Amino acid sequence: MAEEDCCASADEGAKSGRHVPLVLERREKKEENWRTAVSHQLKKQCTCSSERAKAQVLGFVPILKWLPRYQLRDWILGDVMSGLIVGILLVPQSIAYSLLAGQDPIYGLYTSFYSSIIYTLLGTSRHISVGIFGVLCLLVGQVVDRELALAGYLTESSSNNTTLGLGNATTGPVCDRSCYAIMVGATVTFTAGVYQVLMGLLQVGFVSVYLSDSLLSGFATGASLTILTSQVKYLLGLKLPRAQGWGSLIKTWVSLFQNLGQTNLCDLVTSLVCLTVLVPTKELNDRFKAKLKAPIPFELFVVIGATMASHFGHFKETYGSDVAGAIPTGFLPPQLPSWSLIPNVAVDAFSISIVGFAITVSLSEMFAKKHGYVVDPNQEMYAIGFCNILPSFFRCFTTSAALTKTLVKESTGCQTQLSGLVTALVLLLVLLVIAPLFYSLQKCVLAVIIVVNLRGALRKFTDIPRMWRVNRVDAAIWLVTMATSALINTELGLLVGVMVSAFCVLGRTQRAQALELGRAGQRELYEDLASYKGLQTQPGVAIFRYEAPIYYANQSLFKKALYRRLGLDPVKEKARRRKLEKQRKKQEEAAMTAGGEGGTKIKKETELTNATRIFLPNQVNFHSLVIDCSPVLFLDTAGVNALKEVCKDYKELGVQVFLAQCNTSVLESLDRGGYYPEEEKENMFFTISNAVHYSHSLSSQNGECDTSC
């Protein structure tokens, strides 16, 4: 029936000489009642069967899915090798980053050990290494130092044996500074893990897409500057409290310069020697990583050598060097987080949870894409959440994926998550046997390890010119996020970065290009007249394109851009005509009062002049306007109303408005908004050419000239 109607209308149009546009009959979509939709989803989620229960268990514990299919002969060597190398690298880094988080070295080893096991069980990425990450250690350390100060504990410059009673004065347990520090760290970790699991339950894994690469890179670089600044005091052997509040980086440098005269020469010399060894050797590792089967663990060699030198040289007793101190073996019994601290750290834990999840998902998706498999962002949320919740009962602090160790795992042949268990076995050996041997290790050596590992983030400064050339908006986001994170506040830097990114996206719709189009030869191709040569304008037809959605925030800008590009503002033109009409009436009244032949002659001349002035506006040579809607992704109510106003205002001036290349969403919005009366729905076209031909046929039918209005 539709085909017969279309053919009949085409025959009729051919007889009349009028162009008949292609008409497609749209399918009617059945709108499902919201109650039915909710009921269907509840039924789907709550239905229980053996297959569904099995799928839920396998989805929540992915190791049950991939372990039975493990190819022992092909994969075991790569997993064991990568796990061993990462475990060896984690030993000095775990001890070093404990310093950054404000904790004793043993807690860094605990953190790496538990997180490696839990992610092996729950993670979906085969390659990422979950453990201690510098930015998160910095954020945790800031919270720990703040809570220590609020609780009345002395600063690091005083003895770590200072104790305070927690509870009442007579029966409350006694907790020293180290104990209270890990209590705060574990509570922050528990709260962050709860946030991450809740986000997984609410299926909000998609939020990671809103944290762009430029934002995360700028945040990491800004945090790296703060980390570098926080470690300078250890390089110099100064015992200074960590600066708190906004502008901590500047405060720290001021304090460092004020206390420069108290530098410990032994720590300074040790730091310089370790830097001289580690920087070039790490560069060699990077340069020859393609030829090396595994990176050489120079950090471990430096730690062993520095520990032996400090022990036999009696650096602590002779020169007053600050050392790691006693590191116990074995494991401590589990303890609950401090529920009373949760309100104090809830806001900090939220930002930590977002950063941890974003880093983990970004790295897991990057390596999954590289190696051709799929990761589940929501399951990653669960995995990293439980990597924080469960270890928090065993005196651990916040973890996430770490890029450096992930790259090491990949380059050493990692095949599955099983390599995490091998890493855990290496750490278990250290925890049970080797840990006490690091008693004499100087803290300045740990600081050197942290500083050397910041090279990658700090190198981003050399990429600023390239980023600016590639995309100035992304470069601006990077600079703002980095500067805010470094100079004002680390957590605030993340929030500012997200807001700047959102405003940049919004700003692009506010500054969308308004283009007048021309035709390329005899082809059905229309492009911007200002961008390409040789394009031809269509006589009597103006073709306009607005390269953005039209919604409440930019609908007025859309109209202004259209009027400016076409050189005809219908609102101003109508006001001008009303003004001229008033002048004409006044002249008529003056002519009537003058009377006689002279008055009649004046009246006729006035009517002729004003008719010309009213109906022929200057520099307008079109009778039809075609709006190319292909870049318009959506319309809201304000956008539909803006198009209504444009159509109505131009129609009053004798200019027909046609829409072309509207997508389905735009067509539905126009239908719901009542853009066209039922009899005028033919004024929407699937191509610009159809709209142009139709406007020409209307002009010819009405006997109008194509070169004037």
Side-chain angles (χ1 to χ4, degrees):
M1 184 68 183
E3 292 179 0
E4 294 176 1
D5 293 344
C6 188
C7 292
S9 60
D11 293 339
E12 183 182 347
K15 293 176 183 179
S16 63
R18 176 180 173 183
H19 176 78
V20 179
L22 174 66
V23 178
L24 295 180
E25 185 177 357
R26 293 180 58 197
R27 296 180 183 273
E28 292 186 6
K29 295 183 179 180
K30 295 181 180 179
E31 293 188 4
E32 189 176 10
N33 184 276
W34 69 271
R35 294 181 180 178
T36 307
V38 172
S39 174
H40 176 73
Q41 287 296 325
L42 288 175
K43 185 177 180 180
K44 181 180 177 181
Q45 296 296 328
C46 298
T47 301
C48 186
S49 64
S50 58
E51 292 81 7
R52 180 174 173 79
K54 181 181 178 181
Q56 289 290 330
V57 171
L58 292 178
F60 187 72
V61 189
I63 191 174
L64 300 177
K65 186 184 296 184
W66 60 261
L67 190 59
R69 299 197 295 267
Y70 190 83
Q71 300 176 21
L72 185 66
R73 183 174 298 177
D74 297 331
W75 293 349
I76 189 64
L77 182 61
D79 285 341
V80 170
M81 177 64 70
S82 60
L84 282 172
I85 296 298
V86 172
I88 292 171
L89 292 176
L90 270 176
V91 173
Q93 290 186 11
S94 297
I95 297 174
Y97 282 107
S98 300
L99 193 68
L100 186 59
Q103 310 296 338
D104 288 347
I106 188 65
Y107 300 127
L109 295 171
Y110 287 159
T111 300
S112 298
F113 172 76
Y114 285 112
S115 61
S116 297
I117 295 175
I118 295 171
Y119 189 81
T120 300
L121 301 176
L122 302 180
T124 59
S125 174
R126 303 173 191 171
H127 293 89
I128 66 170
S129 174
V130 172
I132 293 177
F133 180 54
V135 175
L136 294 183
C137 290
L138 171 69
L139 297 176
V140 172
Q142 290 174 342
V143 179
V144 168
D145 283 357
R146 184 192 69 206
E147 293 302 317
L148 284 172
L150 291 175
Y153 285 89
L154 299 179
T155 62
E156 284 182 323
S157 58
S158 302
S159 172
N160 281 345
N161 295 325
T162 304
T163 59
L164 288 181
L166 302 180
N168 59 55
T170 57
T171 62
V174 175
C175 186
D176 63 10
R177 187 182 188 279
S178 172
C179 168
Y180 193 73
I182 191 57
M183 185 183 296
V184 175
T187 303
V188 172
T189 302
F190 173 81
T191 311
V194 169
Y195 282 137
Q196 290 167 336
V197 170
L198 287 176
M199 287 188 281
L201 289 172
L202 296 174
Q203 303 287 297
V204 293
F206 64 89
V207 298
S208 62
V209 302
Y210 295 103
L211 302 177
S212 64
D213 291 341
S214 57
L215 186 154
L216 290 175
S217 175
F219 174 74
T221 305
S224 297
L225 288 176
T226 306
I227 294 171
L228 173 64
T229 300
S230 69
Q231 298 308 297
V232 173
K233 66 179 181 180
Y234 296 110
L235 299 179
L236 300 177
L238 299 175
K239 294 180 173 61
L240 302 174
R242 185 180 304 194
Q244 295 292 325
W246 289 9
S248 58
L249 182 138
I250 298 173
K251 294 177 184 176
T252 301
W253 281 106
V254 170
S255 180
L256 286 170
F257 282 114
Q258 289 176 344
N259 294 273
L260 204 57
Q262 302 174 19
T263 300
N264 187 303
L265 292 179
C266 179
D267 285 346
L268 177 59
V269 171
T270 303
S271 300
L272 292 175
V273 171
C274 292
L275 282 170
T276 304
V277 173
L278 277 181
V279 171
T281 52
K282 295 281 280 188
E283 290 295 333
L284 287 174
N285 261 344
D286 292 342
R287 179 168 296 184
F288 297 105
K289 63 182 178 181
K291 298 181 180 179
L292 295 172
K293 292 185 178 180
I296 303 172
F298 289 110
E299 291 173 340
L300 185 62
F301 298 155
V302 167
V303 166
I304 293 173
T307 303
M308 293 178 64
S310 176
H311 175 74
F312 292 107
H314 305 288
F315 288 171
K316 180 181 179 182
E317 295 80 6
T318 306
Y319 304 105
S321 292
D322 203 3
V323 298
I327 303 177
T329 56
F331 295 91
L332 297 173
Q335 76 172 13
L336 293 174
S338 176
W339 308 117
S340 60
L341 281 174
I342 290 179
N344 296 359
V345 302
V347 176
D348 304 284
F350 182 74
S351 60
I352 290 172
S353 68
I354 294 294
V355 174
F357 164 69
I359 296 295
T360 302
V361 171
S362 298
L363 287 179
S364 60
E365 289 183 339
M366 180 176 71
F367 284 93
K369 182 178 180 181
K370 182 177 180 180
H371 293 276
Y373 61 93
V374 179
V375 295
D376 181 0
N378 288 308
Q379 180 59 30
E380 289 297 295
M381 189 87 84
Y382 288 130
I384 200 65
F386 282 106
C387 280
N388 287 321
I389 291 177
L390 297 179
S392 69
F393 294 98
F394 297 91
R395 298 172 176 83
C396 299
F397 48 90
T398 315
T399 58
S400 74
L403 177 60
T404 305
K405 293 182 282 292
T406 300
L407 290 172
V408 170
K409 282 185 70 171
E410 183 204 26
S411 64
T412 52
C414 175
Q415 299 293 327
T416 67
Q417 297 93 313
L418 191 66
S419 62
L421 291 181
V422 179
T423 299
L425 289 175
V426 174
L427 293 169
L428 180 63
L429 177 65
V430 174
L431 284 167
L432 295 180
V433 179
I434 304 175
L437 299 179
F438 295 112
Y439 174 89
S440 298
L441 178 61
Q442 292 168 270
K443 288 186 177 181
C444 65
V445 178
L446 302 177
V448 168
I449 293 173
I450 294 174
V451 170
V452 171
N453 282 307
L454 296 176
R455 292 173 304 124
L458 297 177
R459 280 197 186 119
K460 291 291 182 180
F461 285 104
T462 61
D463 292 339
I464 293 177
R466 182 189 60 82
M467 287 191 292
W468 188 260
R469 288 193 301 270
V470 172
N471 191 305
R472 293 185 178 183
V473 174
D474 286 344
I477 292 172
W478 189 92
L479 288 169
V480 171
T481 307
M482 182 275 300
T484 308
S485 300
L487 300 177
I488 301 177
N489 181 270
T490 310
E491 296 92 336
L492 183 65
L494 183 65
L495 177 61
V496 169
V498 172
M499 293 178 63
V500 170
S501 298
F503 280 122
C504 285
V505 173
L506 185 63
R508 290 180 184 183
T509 66
Q510 299 288 301
R511 300 184 59 186
Q513 286 187 305
L515 310 176
E516 187 176 358
L517 308 184
R519 185 175 179 178
Q522 299 302 314
R523 298 176 181 272
E524 302 297 321
L525 176 64
Y526 292 83
E527 286 299 336
D528 179 25
L529 288 169
S531 299
Y532 298 96
K533 298 178 180 179
L535 299 180
Q536 302 171 359
T537 58
Q538 299 301 301
V541 180
I543 307 172
F544 174 81
R545 176 188 293 164
Y546 189 70
E547 297 190 328
I550 304 173
Y551 63 111
Y552 71 94
N554 71 346
Q555 52 89 18
S556 62
L557 297 174
F558 159 73
K559 291 188 290 186
K560 289 179 182 178
L562 173 63
Y563 300 158
R564 184 171 58 252
R565 179 63 63 180
L566 299 181
L568 176 61
D569 186 335
V571 177
K572 293 181 179 179
E573 180 62 22
K574 287 190 291 184
R576 186 183 71 86
R577 292 188 179 188
R578 284 194 296 268
K579 182 178 179 181
L580 291 176
E581 181 66 21
K582 289 180 181 179
Q583 292 178 357
R584 184 182 65 82
K585 288 181 178 180
K586 288 181 179 180
Q587 290 177 357
E588 285 180 356
E589 292 175 358
M592 293 295 292
T593 54
E597 278 184 31
T600 304
K601 185 177 181 181
I602 292 173
K603 179 180 179 181
K604 289 182 179 180
E605 291 177 354
T606 302
E607 287 178 353
L608 180 61
T609 302
N610 284 312
T612 304
R613 292 176 65 187
I614 291 174
F615 297 108
L616 292 178
N618 295 328
Q619 298 180 347
V620 175
N621 56 355
F622 60 91
H623 53 72
S624 300
L625 167 64
V626 177
I627 300 178
D628 176 16
C629 296
S630 56
V632 180
L633 300 179
F634 65 87
L635 295 171
D636 66 356
T637 305
V640 174
N641 290 336
L643 288 174
K644 280 183 179 180
E645 292 174 14
V646 168
C647 183
K648 175 178 175 294
D649 292 341
Y650 274 116
K651 193 172 183 180
E652 291 177 358
L653 298 180
V655 177
Q656 293 290 326
V657 177
F658 305 108
L659 303 184
Q661 303 189 128
C662 299
N663 62 42
T664 305
S665 171
V666 170
L667 290 174
E668 290 176 352
S669 298
L670 292 172
D671 284 343
R672 288 194 299 267
Y675 175 74
Y676 276 133
E678 192 66 31
E679 65 275 7
E680 293 186 13
K681 285 193 175 181
E682 62 180 6
N683 287 6
M684 286 184 284
F685 301 88
F686 291 99
T687 66
I688 298 176
S689 295
N690 277 344
V692 172
H693 293 325
Y694 183 75
S695 64
H696 283 160
S697 67
L698 282 181
S699 174
S700 301
Q701 186 180 15
N702 295 333
E704 297 175 356
C705 178
D706 284 342
T707 58
S708 62
C709 187

